[in-house]
Amino acid sequence: MRSEPPRPGSLRRRLTLTLIVGAAVLALLFFLVVRTYAQQVAQQSQDRILEASLTSLLDAAVVRDGQIELDVPYAAFAMLDTGADDRVFYAIHQGGELLTGYDNLTDPPFALTPSAEFSTRPFNGAEVRRATLTHSLPASPRPVLLTVSVAQTRDSLAGTLLAISANAAVFGTAFFLLAAGMALWTSASTLRPLGDLAKAVARRGPSDLRPVNRPVPSELSPLVTSLNSLMTRLSHSLTQSETFIAEAAHRVRTPLATVRSHAEATLLRVDKDENRQALRSMIRAIDESSRAAGQLLDHAMVTFRGDQLVKRDIDLVTICSEIVDRLTPVAEMMDLDLTLSSQGPVRIKGDTILIQNAVRNLVDNALKYSPPEKGVHITVSANPGATIAVTDQGGGFPEAQIGLLSQRFQRGDNVKDTVGSGLGLTIASDVAEAHGGRLELKNLNSGGACAILHL
Amino acid sequence: MDRAGPQNAMKYLLIEDNAALAAALCNRMRLDGHVIDHALTLSEGSDFLLVGDYDLILLDIMLPDGDGRGFLERHRAAANTTPVIVLTARSEVSDRVSMLDLGADDYLTKPFDHSELQARCRAVMRRQSGSAQTVIRRGAAALDPVASVLTIGQVDTTLRNRELRLLELFMNAPGQIFSKSKLVDRLFSYDDTVTDNAIEVYVGRLRKHLEGSGVSISTHRGLGYRLDEE
C-alpha cells in the first residue's frame, strides 16, 4: 500500500557538498594569497637591505686625485648577514672596468641609474638576488661612473617562505576541516525540522487526522499548511462517510423495524392460513434485508478498518466472553447452549472491533444452522498460534463447496431456506487476513461445522 | 391472586420518536399482557419516569430533543436503577461501547425480533437482583418467567427457553385454545422448515413437567391446545 516517492538526490547531500567544496576553494585561495604576499614582503625586505648595502658602499667611495678610493665599510656586508648560510657577492666597476669583486656578476655597459635595479639570476651555481646602482662621482677632468653590484643567495628567504607556506597550509587545512564540520552540522540542523515534521506525521496512527501545529521554520509553513488542509479534507470526508453509514442504517432499519413489528402483531391475530403464510414470508424478507444491510455495513467497515489497521494489545478470551454474554439471550431463545472454553488469556496485537465482528458473524452462523437443544462452542487457544474456533452440531458445510464459502455472497446449497446474505464468512475471512491469518472451514467427524479463525 | 389478565405483567416505558414503530411495539407488548407507556421525546420520558414506577426502559438513541446517551447518563447519575435497553438503528460499532459504558444494560439493533427483545428483557431482569419478580400461579404450579423456573410443591424445574415461552403463553390464558401454527410462530422465528409437529414435542414435555400440579394441557383435534385447571 505504501509507496516510496522517487528520489532525485538528497537535499542534505547537496547542501553539504556545496558547502564543503566552497570551503575547499576558500582554503586554497587563502593559502595562495598568504604565500604570494609573504614572498613579496620577503623580497621587498631583501631588496631594501641590498639597496642599503649599495648605498653605504657608494658613500664610502671618494675620488682623490682622479683616482677612486673605496674603503669597503664593514657594515655594508654585515647588514646582509641573515643568520643562514647565505653568501654575498659584490662587484665594483669604474666605467666598464672591474675595480674589485667578482667578475661576471654584472656585465657592462653601465648607464647612469637614478635608483637601484634588482634582478634575480643564477650565479656560481646558486640563485642570487642582485642589486646594481651606478653613480656618477664628480672628478676632474670629468665625472667618473661608478657601478656597484651586491648579490645575495636566497637560502634564508626560501627558508622563511617555506615556514610561512607551511603555516599557511596548516591554517588552510584547519579552516577547511572546521568549515567542513560546520557544513555537516549546518545541513543537518537546517534539515532537522523537515525530518522532525516527517517523523511527527509518520508516528501518528492512521485515524489521527488532527492538524499539525508544531512550530516549523517559515520555509516549511506552506508545506504544513497544505498538509493540514489535506488532513482536514480527509477527516471531513471520513466523518461524512461514517455519519452517512450510521444515517443510512437508521433510515433503512427504522422503517423495517416498524413493518416487522406490525407484521408480527398482525400474525398473532390472523387465522387464515394463506394470510399467515404471506405474513411469515414478509417477516422473513424483512429479516433477510435487515441482516444483509447490517452485514454490508459490517463488510464496508471491515474493509475500511482492515486497510488501516491499528493494532493494540487485546485479549481474545475477553472479546469472546463479551460476545457470549451478548448472544446468550439469542441462543437461549433457540434453546441452544453457547459456551466458551479457554486456558488463560490469549493476547495478540489486533483490532478489537474487527475480531468482535468476525466472531459474532461466525457465532451467528453457528446458531442459525444448529438444531435446537444442542450447543455452539467457542474455543480460544494460544497453541499453535492464536485461534478462535466456533463449532456447532448442525449439518456441517457442504463438502464440495467448502473452499468457495468465504467468497462474497456465496452460500451453501444446503441452506437455501435459511435467512442469510452470504457475507458472514467473507467478513470473518477478511478480518483474519487483515491480521495476517486465515479462516479455516471444516466439518467435524462427529458431525457439525467448525470455523477456525487463525490470527 | 386470580386475575383475568396475565399475572406476569411488567411495566415498560418506551421512549421512541418513530410513532409507527412505537405503536406496533406497544401493540405487541399489550398483546403479551404487558403494560407499556410511550414517550415521543426525552422530556416526555422524564415526566413519565417522575410519576410512574417502571420495570424497564426501552430507549431509542436518535431523538428529536437530544441524544439518548445524555439521557442515559443523567438517568444513572440520578442513581435510578431501572434497567435500560437501548434500541438503536445505528451501526453497532460506534454505539456499542458508549452505550454499555454509560450504563445501558443491553442494546438491540433495529429491526429486532420481538422474541429477542423479550429474551433480552428477561435476561436484564434476571441480572437485576432484588427486583420484585412476578410469578404466575395456576393450580399448584408456579412459574417464574424471569428465572425460567417452574415450581410444583417443593420441586423446582428449570425450563428451556421455548418450554418457558410456551408455558407462559398457556398459563397467562387458561381455557384459551392456541392453534399449532400460532404456537409455531411464537416459538420459532417464522421459519418455514419447522413443522407443526415440532410443537407436539414441546407440549409433550410440558405435560410431563406439569404432572401433579392440578393443571394440564389438553389436545383439541383440528383446533389446538388448551390449559385446563382441575
Side-chain angles (χ1 to χ4, degrees):
Chain A
M1 309 247 25
R2 217 163 274 188
S3 65
E4 292 276 325
R7 291 185 172 172
S10 141
L11 269 184
R12 180 179 172 157
R13 200 176 312 143
R14 207 187 300 171
L15 186 58
T16 313
L17 213 64
T18 312
L19 287 173
I20 286 180
V21 168
V25 168
L26 282 179
L28 197 66
L29 214 59
F30 163 80
F31 173 73
L32 290 177
V33 165
V34 166
R35 211 181 110 100
T36 313
Y37 189 63
Q39 211 165 12
Q40 275 175 9
V41 168
Q43 191 68 75
Q44 271 173 9
S45 65
Q46 191 184 31
D47 287 357
R48 232 169 259 135
I49 299 173
L50 283 172
E51 194 175 12
S53 171
L54 279 184
T55 315
S56 73
L57 278 174
L58 276 176
D59 282 351
V62 287
V63 180
R64 194 161 293 165
D65 305 335
Q67 286 292 308
I68 291 177
E69 277 182 20
L70 198 151
D71 196 5
V72 176
Y74 170 73
F77 295 119
M79 70 172 71
L80 284 167
D81 181 22
T82 57
D85 290 336
D86 274 327
R87 284 169 293 160
V88 175
F89 308 98
Y90 74 98
I92 301 171
H93 290 80
Q94 180 182 15
E97 190 183 330
L98 177 73
L99 285 183
T100 177
Y102 289 81
D103 205 356
N104 302 334
L105 186 62
T106 329
D107 299 319
F110 305 109
L112 207 57
T113 48
S115 62
E117 281 175 350
F118 300 94
S119 65
T120 306
R121 51 176 297 193
F123 184 75
N124 275 6
E127 188 162 89
V128 297
R129 182 71 173 174
R130 187 195 65 185
T132 306
L133 188 59
T134 304
H135 257 195
S136 159
L137 295 179
S140 58
R142 54 172 198 273
V144 178
L145 277 186
L146 190 66
T147 304
V148 181
S149 300
V150 177
Q152 188 184 26
T153 55
R154 294 155 63 89
D155 290 348
S156 159
L157 185 74
T160 313
L161 264 182
L162 197 68
I164 291 178
S165 297
N167 278 339
V170 167
F171 277 112
T173 312
F175 167 76
F176 171 72
L177 290 178
L178 194 69
M182 275 175 65
L184 287 173
W185 180 80
T186 309
S187 57
S189 72
T190 307
L191 295 176
R192 188 175 306 124
L194 195 59
D196 288 352
L197 180 66
K199 257 186 250 158
V201 174
R203 231 192 345 256
R204 292 169 163 228
S207 51
D208 184 357
L209 296 175
R210 285 170 303 153
V212 177
N213 49 17
R214 52 184 299 124
V216 291
S218 57
E219 289 81 357
L220 283 184
S221 76
L223 176 65
V224 171
T225 310
S226 14
L227 185 66
N228 283 347
S229 98
L230 180 68
M231 295 263 219
T232 315
R233 272 179 288 152
L234 183 60
S235 134
H236 184 65
S237 81
L238 284 184
T239 318
Q240 255 190 345
S241 60
E242 269 170 35
T243 319
F244 178 78
I245 287 182
E247 188 64 26
H250 185 79
R251 298 268 177 227
V252 171
R253 284 178 177 160
T254 306
L256 281 179
T258 311
V259 177
R260 196 187 195 285
S261 298
H262 275 303
E264 265 190 302
T266 313
L267 190 57
L268 291 180
R269 286 191 296 253
V270 170
D271 284 320
K272 243 179 146 180
D273 253 352
E274 308 95 86
N275 295 347
R276 297 180 63 81
Q277 198 55 44
L279 281 168
R280 267 196 216 117
S281 323
M282 204 169 126
I283 293 173
R284 281 166 49 81
I286 292 166
D287 285 351
E288 198 152 350
S289 49
S290 77
R291 201 182 156 85
Q295 286 195 323
L296 281 171
L297 293 174
D298 277 358
H299 188 248
M301 195 270 303
V302 164
T303 311
F304 175 73
R305 285 184 85 96
D307 276 351
Q308 34 187 324
L309 194 59
V310 188
K311 290 188 172 183
R312 294 180 206 287
D313 280 313
I314 53 173
D315 175 20
L316 297 182
V317 177
T318 313
I319 293 177
C320 289
S321 71
E322 275 170 14
I323 289 172
V324 168
D325 284 349
R326 165 83 191 141
L327 291 178
T328 294
V330 182
E332 267 179 13
M333 240 171 58
M334 302 158 97
D335 284 346
L336 292 169
D337 291 325
L338 181 57
T339 49
L340 170 69
S341 70
S342 64
Q343 279 151 355
V346 178
R347 290 183 208 289
I348 64 159
K349 287 207 169 287
D351 184 319
T352 306
I353 289 176
L354 285 187
I355 292 175
Q356 265 176 356
N357 232 301
V359 177
R360 192 162 39 78
N361 272 292
L362 292 179
V363 174
D364 262 356
N365 264 343
L367 291 176
K368 228 165 47 181
Y369 299 126
S370 260
E373 299 182 22
K374 299 279 187 188
V376 168
H377 190 73
I378 307 177
T379 315
V380 184
S381 93
N383 240 329
T387 56
I388 301 175
V390 179
T391 53
D392 63 42
Q393 298 168 46
F397 299 111
E399 286 289 348
Q401 285 177 298
I402 210 160
L404 298 172
L405 284 178
S406 58
Q407 288 173 16
R408 211 175 294 184
F409 303 117
Q410 275 290 339
R411 303 195 58 212
D413 282 339
N414 55 344
V415 294
K416 290 291 184 220
D417 48 357
T418 313
V419 173
S421 64
L423 270 176
L425 293 178
T426 313
I427 290 169
S429 163
D430 285 356
V431 168
E433 272 163 30
H435 287 80
R438 69 199 167 84
L439 173 71
E440 181 192 351
L441 302 178
K442 63 179 184 188
N443 286 326
L444 300 173
N445 293 332
S446 54
C450 178
I452 307 172
L453 270 181
H454 295 269
L455 294 169
Chain B
M1 186 155 113
D2 197 355
R3 279 198 319 209
Q7 300 173 350
N8 65 331
M10 291 207 287
K11 206 171 170 196
Y12 292 91
L13 174 63
L14 170 66
I15 308 177
E16 160 72 65
D17 64 325
N18 185 310
L21 174 61
L25 194 60
C26 291
N27 222 335
R28 178 61 206 267
M29 282 288 192
R30 287 182 188 127
L31 270 176
D32 283 351
H34 299 294
V35 176
I36 184 162
D37 287 329
H38 171 220
L40 276 165
T41 60
L42 288 177
S43 57
E44 211 180 316
S46 303
D47 293 346
F48 271 113
L49 273 177
L50 284 178
V51 292
D53 187 19
Y54 295 96
D55 294 311
L56 207 142
I57 301 168
L58 301 172
L59 175 66
D60 184 25
I61 281 306
M62 284 179 166
L63 287 159
D65 60 340
D67 194 308
R69 276 170 286 205
F71 177 86
L72 246 178
E73 234 170 343
R74 288 195 299 279
H75 181 70
R76 287 293 173 240
N80 199 326
T81 55
T82 314
V84 177
I85 293 183
V86 168
L87 306 177
T88 171
R90 297 197 355 198
S91 62
E92 225 168 324
V93 185
S94 47
D95 285 339
R96 198 197 118 83
V97 177
S98 54
M99 289 308 150
L100 299 185
D101 283 351
L102 289 177
D105 293 84
D106 204 349
Y107 68 96
L108 208 58
T109 313
K110 293 177 190 172
F112 42 82
D113 191 327
H114 193 83
S115 326
E116 184 179 345
L117 174 62
Q118 283 299 324
R120 292 200 178 276
C121 290
R122 272 203 199 96
V124 166
M125 308 285 275
R126 209 156 40 207
R127 282 205 297 269
Q128 188 86 356
S129 55
S131 75
Q133 298 188 345
T134 334
V135 176
I136 319 170
R137 295 175 197 283
R138 298 287 169 212
L143 176 65
D144 179 347
V146 171
S148 193
V149 170
L150 173 69
T151 311
I152 296 164
Q154 300 300 312
V155 186
D156 284 354
T157 315
T158 305
L159 299 180
R160 284 208 166 258
N161 188 273
R162 282 186 178 127
E163 296 169 7
L164 166 70
R165 279 188 281 156
L166 191 60
L167 184 58
E168 194 184 8
L169 210 58
F170 281 126
M171 286 179 77
N172 271 329
Q176 185 183 328
I177 295 178
F178 292 93
S179 74
K180 276 187 185 175
S181 65
K182 282 201 177 182
L183 293 177
V184 166
D185 286 339
R186 284 290 186 108
L187 297 198
F188 302 94
S189 308
Y190 318 103
D191 198 335
D192 277 341
T193 54
V194 178
T195 59
D196 290 358
N197 292 338
I199 289 299
E200 285 172 19
V201 178
Y202 286 93
V203 169
R205 285 193 201 163
L206 286 187
R207 282 182 175 144
K208 214 166 172 193
H209 290 319
L210 287 172
E211 272 170 17
S213 66
V215 289
S216 61
I217 298 169
S218 54
T219 312
H220 298 263
R221 210 153 286 284
L223 292 174
Y225 302 97
R226 189 180 70 192
L227 185 85
D228 300 311
E229 288 180 83
E230 286 158 16

